[in-house]
Amino acid sequence: QVQLVESGGGLVQPGGSLRLSCAASGFTSNYHAIGWFRQAPGKEREGVSCIESGDGSTYYYADAMKGRFTISRDNAKNTVFLQMNSLKPEDTAVYYCAAPNSWRCSEVVSEYHYWGQGTQVTVSS
């Protein structure tokens, strides 16, 4: 049974940092891309970042996140991380990790077949 479990969310002040983790089980994440998405109240789910298997190519899907967020993976632990720095109130959302049936990344939500339960990130003073 494929399972993705996120952790690391919480409440942080503006300018602070959080590191999200996505632990994969039931399949080898080494052979799947892993993406991070987020969904704020009243908004559609949007792509945040993705890391491909193989050469580990990374993608960041919005200019607002580039330079502040970093995605990485630990293949030995079947875990993908999202380091988020200089957090802003507009980063507040539920963050999900997801995997397509492919080694390639995509920004398209419907191309992802496996989803975690999400972890809440709240940026507020």
Side-chain angles (χ1 to χ4, degrees):
Q1 181 180 357
V2 175
Q3 192 172 20
L4 298 172
V5 179
E6 304 96 335
S7 61
L11 173 64
V12 64
Q13 292 187 341
S17 298
L18 284 174
R19 188 193 196 203
L20 305 184
S21 298
C22 174
S25 61
F27 73 106
T28 304
S29 67
N30 299 2
Y31 300 105
H32 293 259
I34 299 288
W36 284 98
F37 293 78
R38 69 184 185 184
Q39 188 166 19
K43 295 188 176 181
E44 292 188 354
R45 194 166 297 188
E46 64 174 348
V48 175
S49 184
C50 184
I51 186 166
E52 292 184 338
S53 61
D55 66 2
S57 296
T58 60
Y59 301 86
Y60 300 93
Y61 294 126
D63 289 341
M65 302 166 200
K66 294 176 182 177
R68 298 191 299 123
F69 291 7
T70 303
I71 191 170
S72 62
R73 69 193 302 162
D74 184 333
N75 289 334
K77 296 182 178 180
N78 237 12
T79 301
V80 171
F81 305 98
L82 185 68
Q83 178 68 43
M84 305 187 296
N85 299 327
S86 302
L87 284 163
K88 305 175 181 180
E90 51 264 42
D91 294 318
T92 295
V94 178
Y95 284 70
Y96 300 88
C97 67
N101 273 329
S102 171
W103 60 271
R104 297 185 65 97
C105 282
S106 170
E107 192 178 359
V108 180
V109 172
S110 61
E111 294 189 9
Y112 286 76
H113 297 82
Y114 309 107
W115 290 84
Q117 82 288 349
T119 185
Q120 176 70 48
V121 171
T122 303
V123 185
S124 175
S125 55

